[in-house]
Every structure is written in structure tokens, then in C-alpha cells.
Amino acid sequence: MAGNDADAADATQEALIAIATRLDRFDGRARFTTWLHRVATNACLDELRRRGRRPVPVEEVLPRSEADPSDTGLADRLDIDTALAELPDDFRIAVVLRDLCDLDYAAIAEALDLPPGTVRSRIARGRAALADRLGNPETPDERQNQ
């Protein structure tokens, strides 16, 4: 969700500190793992807000045609990470929790304190936005013709 290793490490550290210092606030209404996911998600969102206030360095990136062909898996992963970073936070969080963390819809709804229908909608819209950003065809006919 953070988009890069350094921000993810910072968010992880903040989440662990929050868990250790606020364990007494866990009231048992939800599963402990759900509470942990919520604390970690909040820490990541806080880190993203902090990142928005920092200057962004400009990096020179090689065009894909100049990259080593053996790095296509890495290039694909970088494309996915870039597309994920461009998604609105609401969509990105839902997609990451579902597709990368493998949480079910009920657990995501509980962790984000949202109705299950809203979670399904955000995941569907997030996946559609990812497909658009990655250049995936929208219809099965278009996919077969490629």
C-alpha cells in the first residue's frame, strides 16, 4: 500500500509502536487480527499523508525497450506498483488487502469499518482502474484478438 520499501518500513514501525502502546485499547469486539490490520492500515495512511508533504525526487527511468529482456517479470511488477500508486487510497487499500494480503471481503469490511457492498465496489473499481492503467482490454473479444 505504501508504494516503496522505505515508506512501508516506516509505516510498519509506526504500526508496531501503536500496537505495543495501545494494546489496552483492544476491546475484543472484533478479532485481534482484524484490529491489527486496521492499525497497520491507519499507519500506512498516515505515512502516505506525510509523503504527500515531502518533495518528490525525479528519477531517470529507462524506457522498457532499453531494459534487459530477462527483467520482464521485474518490469511487470514495477508497472503494477506504479499503477497501484496512482489509484485513489480507498481503492488501493481495498485491492491490496484482497489481492495481496488475501483477506476475504468480510475481514476487509471489518478492518476498514465499511459495509461489505462498499468493499466489493471499491475492489471492483480498483481492479478496473488498474486494468485501464496497465492497458488491459476491457472485453473478452478484445483480449482474444491480442
Side-chain angles (χ1 to χ4, degrees):
M1 287 180 357
N4 66 60
D5 292 341
D7 288 342
D10 288 344
T12 300
Q13 183 176 8
E14 292 300 320
L16 290 173
I17 290 169
I19 290 166
T21 59
R22 299 182 187 131
L23 190 57
D24 59 329
R25 294 186 188 173
F26 175 66
D27 58 11
R29 287 185 293 161
R31 290 181 298 177
F32 186 70
T33 55
T34 301
W35 182 75
L36 290 176
H37 278 286
R38 186 66 217 170
V39 171
T41 299
N42 286 343
C44 189
L45 289 173
D46 290 344
E47 186 61 33
L48 290 172
R49 281 191 279 282
R50 280 190 291 275
R51 181 194 319 163
R53 294 187 296 259
R54 286 185 285 203
V56 179
V58 177
E59 296 179 17
E60 185 176 330
V61 179
L62 289 177
R64 185 172 232 181
S65 61
E66 295 178 30
D68 184 358
S70 64
D71 290 338
T72 57
L74 175 62
D76 289 344
R77 178 60 196 202
L78 291 173
D79 289 345
I80 292 169
D81 287 347
T82 300
L84 270 172
E86 294 171 356
L87 290 180
D89 289 344
D90 293 342
F91 295 165
R92 182 176 59 250
I93 291 166
V95 168
V96 167
L97 290 175
R98 176 67 187 131
D99 294 337
L100 299 178
C101 298
D102 203 30
L103 294 179
D104 62 26
Y105 291 97
I108 297 169
E110 194 173 341
L112 299 179
D113 195 27
L114 294 171
T118 302
V119 170
R120 289 182 190 282
S121 173
R122 287 182 181 181
I123 291 170
R125 289 179 182 182
R127 286 174 177 168
L130 278 176
D132 288 345
R133 283 172 171 77
L134 295 171
N136 290 347
E138 293 183 16
T139 66
D141 292 336
E142 290 174 339
R143 284 187 285 249
Q144 288 177 345
N145 292 333
Q146 285 194 345

